[in-house]
Amino acid sequence: MTEPATTPSRPVVEVTAHGADPTGRRDSTRAVRDAVAAARRIGGPVTLRFAPGTYALWASSAQRRELYVSNTVGADPRYREKAIGILLEGFDDIEVDGGGALFEYHGRQTSIAVIDCGRAELHDFTVDMVQPTVVELTVRETGIADGKPFRLISVPAGTDVRPHGRTVVWRGETDPSAGEPAWSGEGKLDYCQVLDPRANRTWRTDCPLFEDVERITPIPGGLRVGYRAGSSVPDDQGLVYQLRRTDRDHPGALVLDSGHTRFHDVRFGYLHGFGLLAQSGGDLLVQNCTFATREGTGRTTAGFADFVQASGLRGHVLVEDCRFDGAHDDAINVHGLYLRVDSVHGDDLDLTYPHPETAGFPQFSVGERCEIVRVDDGTVVATDVEVVRVDGPSGRDHAHDLTHMRIRCAGPLPDAVAASAPGELAVENITRTPAVTVRRSTFKNLPTRGVLVSTRRPVVIEDCVFSGLGMAGVMITAEAGSYWESGPVTDCVIRGNRFEDLGGPAVLISPVPFPNRSSALHRNIRVRDNQVSNCVSWPHDGDASGAEAGNWIVDATSVDALTVTDNTTPTGELSVRLNSCPDARVNAGTGSPVLVLADADFRTNSATQSGR
């Protein structure tokens, strides 16, 4: 037998050989940059390797790029430049071997960016921020002293909080080169969510900590907040208030215009701004990664917004064997984009990015295909239309108008396009829609959803655990007219998962409200072999927790060929609500009894509704 040819070993660049300090005492940003430059000079496959240890990376030393990315700050000129701690740009094949190291970030920045690369593999390291941009206050004790209510509040070590009259001032870490804090704010900031660590539940709410204050006094490890006589006595002992500003000025990590990027065995202890964002590329693989705070930090928040977002990818999004715990929005969100049609000139369409958080990058390339729909009901006006010319922003500068572009389609377009009113239609790039697989992962302590998906290529969500989320476990949507994130979903299976104690149903299929019509928006969605307990209908009023919440497995609007079968609940029956779901098939099979609430478009018969 002929022996297989051996593969030459990859060249290795050691970051310590370029001056990076694994003790964390010195800023390693420029040394890592030099090591990356050395790796680029080698060309071909190359490995960038870190020795075990801690590497300090300061925003003031970071490379900067003018970049425009989805779901951040749109075209806001204040945030054109992104500071990037570790920038991997233009590699054909780059591996980052973290060696178990901690990448410790100082100041607001994107932790690591993969831009214009063919293949990239990043593994075996931890990302964290020394002083996160979310502040946390744990109510340690409540009571009444001298007839006046009070709270004793703890904050994580390193938090810079200073009483200022009847409120407080928060200050981020001060950069020694700039002499200014990375960020600052006052009182309850702009946004609040609360974690109940005893119940493992997180929800969005207002912050009451600084209302009716008489006096704030610093104490070891935190604050004593005294309230005016007659104020209500606090009853929130043990709760953790998480406060932040709302400007998503950076993606926490970024993959941009790259072919195949894989993260594995990485811990994301804190991601500032907007999570791990992959945009306008090919494949994204996230395997055996942990999105949760590091033990010993005293913190509970690991993500300023979403944890993983894929926007306009063409390949496969694979997330497996991961843990998601403690974000301020969805754990996973996979979508494309709708652009609004402002005017039509023959086969030319003038388009606008209508959502304020998304603008400035090219949403179409020549040769890609698009679909044109009505904004009010999702009706397809034209599909599989080739784009033959694009005039729009580059995503890398502001030389072009950042919110407008013009595309030319391979016509002729239907008369309904020419006759449309401004804003009546929207366009989706259907080339940039990935397949999605999410498996063997856990989701908890999120105020919103575990997985939000809107892509027309195959979706599989299997063998996961969704526990204690504020909304649905899985949400399938299409959002022309609101967030302008695309759909529809045409091939999806959700199987073998466990959904428990959710503030919404296990699966919510909820496009922007569409009128009832014979043609459904989504199709071919199968929900089977899942376990469900204490999941509520949506929307709902009041407390959504506890056994009285119900066992809602599916709440669906506008789905053709929906199948819900062989699902179970420990007690009672499962609930399914259907709205404009022609030809749905709902039955118990080998599972628990099912109660179906349906509108007139659901054609009921004994075969489709066994079990009730």
Side-chain angles (χ1 to χ4, degrees):
M1 175 181 259
T2 304
E3 292 293 322
T6 58
T7 302
S9 60
R10 299 167 65 98
V12 175
V13 176
E14 303 281 357
V15 298
T16 51
H18 292 265
D21 176 17
T23 71
R25 289 191 289 268
R26 291 185 291 109
D27 182 2
S28 289
T29 308
R30 289 186 174 87
V32 173
R33 182 191 310 176
D34 291 344
V36 171
R40 189 178 295 108
R41 288 193 295 270
I42 291 172
V46 63
T47 294
L48 186 72
R49 189 159 66 194
F50 289 76
T54 299
Y55 296 84
L57 299 156
W58 284 85
S60 56
S61 304
Q63 291 176 273
R64 281 168 164 74
R65 293 288 185 273
E66 183 173 349
L67 297 172
Y68 298 89
V69 294
S70 178
N71 295 79
T72 54
V73 286
D76 193 325
R78 296 174 297 168
Y79 304 113
R80 285 173 177 163
E81 285 196 341
K82 309 295 191 283
I84 302 172
I86 300 175
L87 174 58
L88 309 172
E89 191 172 27
F91 283 93
D92 292 330
D93 187 341
I94 177 70
E95 175 192 18
V96 175
D97 180 353
L102 168 63
F103 301 164
E104 200 167 56
Y105 292 87
H106 300 258
R108 295 181 299 169
Q109 58 186 305
T110 294
S111 60
I112 191 162
V114 178
I115 300 177
D116 298 330
C117 291
R119 294 182 64 87
E121 180 178 355
L122 304 93
H123 61 90
D124 291 287
F125 57 87
T126 295
V127 168
D128 208 350
M129 189 172 179
V130 172
Q131 199 165 328
T133 44
V134 171
V135 296
E136 302 191 16
L137 305 92
T138 299
V139 181
R140 192 170 73 208
E141 184 180 338
T142 64
I144 298 178
D146 299 325
K148 299 177 181 179
F150 71 90
R151 287 182 176 97
L152 299 185
I153 293 173
S154 298
V155 297
T159 303
D160 188 341
V161 55
R162 308 175 185 188
H164 180 68
R166 292 188 174 91
T167 187
V168 296
V169 172
W170 307 97
R171 292 169 58 92
E173 189 176 16
T174 297
D175 191 308
S177 65
E180 295 292 331
W183 62 274
S184 62
E186 185 174 297
K188 65 181 183 179
L189 300 178
D190 304 322
Y191 171 92
C192 174
Q193 67 182 42
V194 173
L195 164 67
D196 183 348
R198 298 158 298 193
N200 279 329
R201 292 189 66 87
T202 302
W203 63 93
R204 292 173 169 174
T205 187
D206 195 17
C207 174
L209 302 182
F210 305 108
E211 297 175 359
D212 295 324
V213 171
E214 182 175 83
R215 186 179 182 186
I216 300 178
T217 309
I219 59 175
L223 304 166
R224 185 187 189 281
V225 183
Y227 300 93
R228 298 186 182 98
S231 300
S232 59
V233 180
D235 60 356
D236 52 1
Q237 185 170 323
L239 299 186
V240 182
Y241 290 85
Q242 304 166 349
L243 314 178
R244 61 170 169 83
R245 309 301 292 266
T246 53
D247 289 336
R248 300 170 171 180
D249 49 44
H250 287 75
L254 176 65
V255 178
L256 180 63
D257 293 325
S258 295
H260 180 92
T261 304
R262 179 186 180 210
F263 290 85
H264 66 89
D265 298 283
V266 176
R267 185 182 192 114
F268 295 95
Y270 182 77
L271 287 168
H272 165 67
F274 193 60
L276 167 56
L277 169 63
Q279 178 174 301
S280 303
D283 302 324
L284 174 68
L285 285 67
V286 183
Q287 299 169 293
N288 199 36
C289 291
T290 299
F291 295 78
T293 57
R294 292 186 298 130
E295 292 78 6
T297 62
R299 305 196 307 257
T300 59
T301 301
F304 188 98
D306 292 7
F307 273 138
V308 175
Q309 178 138 166
S311 175
L313 297 189
R314 303 174 184 86
H316 186 199
V317 176
L318 170 64
V319 180
E320 61 183 3
D321 302 306
C322 292
R323 179 163 70 94
F324 299 93
D325 183 343
H328 277 213
D329 213 325
D330 304 318
I332 301 171
N333 186 350
V334 181
H335 64 90
L337 292 173
Y338 284 116
L339 272 66
R340 186 179 65 218
V341 180
D342 286 339
S343 60
V344 181
H345 309 275
D347 295 329
D348 287 359
L349 305 179
D350 287 333
L351 309 176
T352 296
Y353 280 109
H355 195 277
E357 291 181 329
T358 296
F361 52 89
Q363 183 57 19
F364 297 93
S365 295
V366 171
E368 294 179 332
R369 321 293 287 194
C370 70
E371 181 170 278
I372 304 171
V373 304
R374 296 191 184 278
V375 171
D376 62 350
D377 65 4
T379 299
V380 176
V381 177
T383 192
D384 200 31
V385 177
E386 183 180 3
V387 177
V388 297
R389 187 168 181 266
V390 179
D391 178 16
S394 70
R396 311 292 178 95
D397 60 50
H398 56 280
H400 191 283
D401 187 300
L402 296 173
T403 58
H404 296 84
M405 70 181 69
R406 174 175 283 201
I407 64 171
R408 177 167 296 166
C409 299
L413 293 173
D415 292 341
V417 176
S420 64
E424 181 181 345
L425 302 179
V427 179
E428 177 191 6
N429 185 334
I430 59 176
T431 302
R432 301 187 189 184
T433 52
V436 180
T437 303
V438 180
R439 62 165 68 105
R440 298 188 305 272
S441 297
T442 61
F443 303 82
K444 69 175 189 175
N445 292 332
L446 305 168
T448 51
R449 284 83 37 162
V451 179
L452 192 157
V453 63
S454 52
T455 177
R456 63 189 63 214
R457 292 183 62 196
V459 176
V460 177
I461 301 170
E462 61 185 359
D463 302 325
C464 296
V465 176
F466 301 84
S467 179
L469 310 186
M471 299 181 188
V474 175
M475 182 172 179
I476 294 171
T477 187
E479 297 178 322
S482 58
Y483 280 92
W484 299 86
E485 293 177 0
S486 69
V489 169
T490 63
D491 180 1
C492 175
V493 59
I494 301 168
R495 64 189 173 209
N497 304 286
R498 190 169 85 237
F499 300 93
E500 57 190 22
D501 300 315
L502 304 184
V507 179
L508 176 63
I509 306 170
S510 179
V512 171
F514 290 93
N516 293 344
R517 54 198 176 94
S518 58
S519 176
L521 180 73
H522 301 294
R523 68 178 185 273
N524 198 22
I525 298 173
R526 291 91 71 202
V527 182
R528 64 174 189 259
D529 299 307
N530 301 283
Q531 300 177 42
V532 179
S533 59
N534 300 342
C535 297
V536 304
S537 60
W538 187 263
H540 58 79
D541 295 320
D543 184 9
S545 61
E548 69 279 4
N551 301 309
W552 283 82
I553 183 166
V554 170
D555 189 338
T557 299
S558 195
V559 187
D560 195 6
L562 171 68
T563 301
V564 184
T565 187
D566 300 327
N567 302 285
T568 60
T569 185
T571 59
E573 60 192 2
L574 295 165
S575 296
V576 172
R577 179 161 54 200
L578 302 167
N579 178 26
S580 300
C581 294
D583 303 317
R585 184 168 67 91
V586 179
N587 62 62
T590 60
S592 301
V594 183
L595 169 65
V596 179
L597 291 81
D599 70 358
D601 287 344
F602 178 54
R603 290 178 276 281
T604 63
N605 58 56
S606 58
T608 60
Q609 288 197 80
S610 60
R612 175 61 179 177

